[in-house]
Amino acid sequence: MDEVRFAQTDLTAEDAFWVMWYFLEEHYSLSNNTFDVSDILSASEPGFLDELTGRPVPTDSGMISFWNEAVEKYRQQGPPPMKILR
């Protein structure tokens, strides 16, 4: 198993919402501004148990890295800037 692990952090519901926003924004950007939720869901689906914690981990361990990067981005930048909707 890859040595990638989820960052140990406690997130409020609001914090988790913004972390998820950064997570999805990264996928959107990497996919040339397209969005295929089924690809993200299938790659994030639990595929096996972590040997140390016994917790389920995604089939694609890269999803853990994306999540950890989103957590770090949120810690550094906070919620994304507001946009004026027209």
Side-chain angles (χ1 to χ4, degrees):
M1 179 172 77
D2 195 339
E3 289 302 312
V4 176
R5 301 213 187 287
F6 286 108
Q8 294 298 314
T9 184
D10 290 327
L11 297 172
T12 66
E14 183 178 349
D15 293 340
F17 176 85
W18 293 118
V19 169
M20 181 59 76
W21 189 89
Y22 281 119
F23 177 83
L24 295 173
E25 178 192 42
E26 179 71 11
H27 283 278
Y28 183 73
S29 174
L30 290 174
S31 66
N32 199 22
N33 299 330
T34 61
F35 203 75
D36 190 340
V37 175
S38 65
D39 286 345
I40 295 169
L41 289 174
S42 64
S44 300
E45 186 173 350
F48 51 90
L49 296 177
D50 183 295
E51 294 172 3
L52 295 177
T53 65
R55 294 171 62 189
V57 294
T59 301
D60 179 353
S61 63
M63 293 294 124
I64 297 172
S65 296
F66 281 122
W67 181 261
N68 289 343
E69 289 170 16
V71 169
E72 189 57 33
K73 191 169 185 178
Y74 175 72
R75 286 180 179 161
Q76 292 176 2
Q77 298 179 17
M82 298 289 291
K83 291 182 180 177
I84 297 175
L85 302 177
R86 297 175 190 203

